[in-house]
Amino acid sequence: MLDWLNPVKGFGVTFHTMFKKVPTVEYPEVKRPTAPRFHGRHQLNRWADGLEKCIGCELCAWACPADAIYVEGGDNTEEQRFSPGERYGRVYQINYLRCILCGLCVEACPTRALTMTNEYELADGEREALIWTKEQLLAPLREGMEPPPHPMRLGDSEDDYYRSGATAAPAGGDSGGHR
């Protein structure tokens, strides 16, 4: 009976939003906070004594749908120990030109070495600057941490080491709940 009004009803949303005030975003001077579980820049975490959590297993690279992660594992020795396990990530790169910030790499990491921070400013004018290396991705050393290589320093046994590392606060930037 009122079929002739159907074409006009479709413009209801348009007319309703047409007269609303548009908020002005003053970026980059004023930055809005992100959600706590926001997927931003990646970070390679450390144990409480400063050793790297990455064991060079390459699971993050295999899980990446965009093929944006490149990992080469290396073997630890007693003189040159970078992580508590047998291996460590000798070369670690994330290509942010390809990365879609999906977080599948974080889910695949068995040691929780890789997490995502809330940092979202990743733009750059040069392509080479968007391929981040291990040195750029590693969490900074906090007070009480020693730069690797060095022997494991937490506890008397391997069980003590991993138990004490699990109770220590995560290296800065852990974005709340990501594995």
Side-chain angles (χ1 to χ4, degrees), residues 1-24:
M1 152 166 68
L2 296 176
D3 289 337
W4 62 274
L5 275 175
N6 286 340
V8 177
K9 285 184 198 177
F11 287 108
V13 173
T14 303
F15 289 128
H16 180 43
T17 58
M18 200 162 69
F19 300 106
K20 283 188 174 182
K21 184 179 179 201
V22 177
T24 303

Side-chain angles (χ1 to χ4, degrees), residues 96-120:
Y96 280 108
L97 294 167
R98 303 185 96 185
C99 181
I100 58 175
L101 301 172
C102 64
L104 291 175
C105 53
V106 173
E107 297 297 324
C109 184
T111 61
R112 194 173 164 79
L114 189 64
T115 53
M116 296 180 93
T117 66
N118 283 3
E119 297 175 34
Y120 56 86

Side-chain angles (χ1 to χ4, degrees), residues 10 18 62 80 87 101 114 129 136 147 152 155 158 161 167 170:
M18 200 162 69
W62 293 343
Q80 295 283 318
R87 295 172 43 94
L101 301 172
L114 189 64
Q136 294 169 298
M152 298 189 312
E158 208 168 283
Y161 185 88
T167 59

Side-chain angles (χ1 to χ4, degrees), residues 153-169:
R153 304 233 190 270
L154 303 174
D156 297 329
S157 70
E158 208 168 283
D159 290 340
D160 291 342
Y161 185 88
Y162 292 116
R163 208 171 295 124
S164 63
T167 59

